[in-house]
Amino acid sequence: MEKIMDFGCFAVRCSLSAVLSYVVALRLGLPYPVWAPMSALIVSQEDLKTTRHAVTGRIAGTVLGVAIALIVAEFGDFMAIPEWLQLSLGVGICALCAKGRPAMRVSLWTCPLVLLTRIPSLSTEMTGLFRGSEVVIGAVVGGLAHLGENWLRRFAALLLRRRPAVRTTDDNRSWWRHDSEE
């Protein structure tokens, strides 16, 4: 029964975090809100400690990937370097930074995400801000959803520790009491 509850809680947590992060990104007017639920689902792990680690790594890796993309784009645009070469340079730098740090590997796809989704009417900085915000929103919502589930489970465990109420009759009156009051 406990495994069924774990599977159910995980499914509900994933569903809620995906929807909530998508709604938040939409309400903020972010242009690619799909990255928010994807990020929320990526950070959703089996236990809270692992989720917390995934959230912090996702945020740090996203910031790193956006920063590298902005630097590469600025340099690349100034030097008239083609987009494919900017992509190669950015991913290479991210790979060097992420080597040996699995939690930072998100930078490897954040950098191309920023470089390849630039909209001509927006600055690269705004694109980086949008992409980074979408990912961070998802990571935070996913982490908060897991934290909320953890709190609910603790609360439920406290409630279940109390002994169930037992109905007794005394002098033709019904009383509700706990077993511990005997």
Side-chain angles (χ1 to χ4, degrees):
M1 187 66 166
E2 190 173 326
K3 277 192 173 203
I4 292 171
M5 186 171 159
D6 285 343
F7 281 108
C9 287
F10 182 73
V12 168
R13 174 168 40 98
C14 286
S15 295
L16 283 175
S17 63
V19 170
L20 288 174
S21 61
Y22 181 71
V23 168
V24 169
L26 273 178
R27 299 287 283 167
L28 291 174
L30 297 172
Y32 291 102
V34 68
W35 294 109
M38 288 176 66
S39 186
L41 296 172
I42 289 168
V43 300
S44 293
Q45 303 295 316
E46 299 300 319
D47 62 84
L48 186 59
K49 182 180 178 185
T50 310
T51 295
R52 196 174 314 134
H53 181 71
V55 168
T56 56
R58 186 129 182 103
I59 291 171
T62 296
V63 170
L64 177 66
V66 168
I68 290 171
L70 294 178
I71 292 167
V72 167
E74 187 70 30
F75 175 74
D77 292 347
F78 178 76
M79 299 295 290
I81 297 173
E83 188 175 62
W84 65 268
L85 195 51
Q86 290 182 31
L87 176 64
S88 177
L89 182 61
V91 170
I93 294 169
C94 287
L96 290 172
C97 294
K99 177 73 172 135
R101 296 179 192 92
M104 298 296 284
R105 289 200 180 136
V106 66
S107 66
L108 290 168
W109 59 84
T110 302
C111 181
L113 184 63
V114 172
L115 292 172
L116 300 177
T117 62
R118 291 189 277 183
I119 301 168
S121 62
L122 289 177
S123 67
T124 305
E125 291 82 6
M126 286 305 294
T127 301
L129 178 65
F130 285 153
R131 293 305 85 76
S133 298
E134 292 152 3
V135 172
V136 169
I137 286 168
V140 169
V141 169
L144 288 175
H146 200 152
L147 186 61
E149 176 196 351
N150 193 49
W151 285 342
L152 286 174
R153 283 177 177 250
R154 284 182 168 183
F155 182 69
L158 285 173
L159 289 178
L160 293 174
R161 280 189 212 162
R162 299 183 78 199
R163 294 186 177 238
V166 177
R167 187 170 182 195
T168 62
T169 40
D170 186 19
D171 296 332
N172 294 327
R173 292 189 221 156
S174 296
W175 297 78
W176 286 93
R177 64 178 178 74
H178 286 89
D179 287 340
S180 60
E181 295 173 359
E182 291 180 352

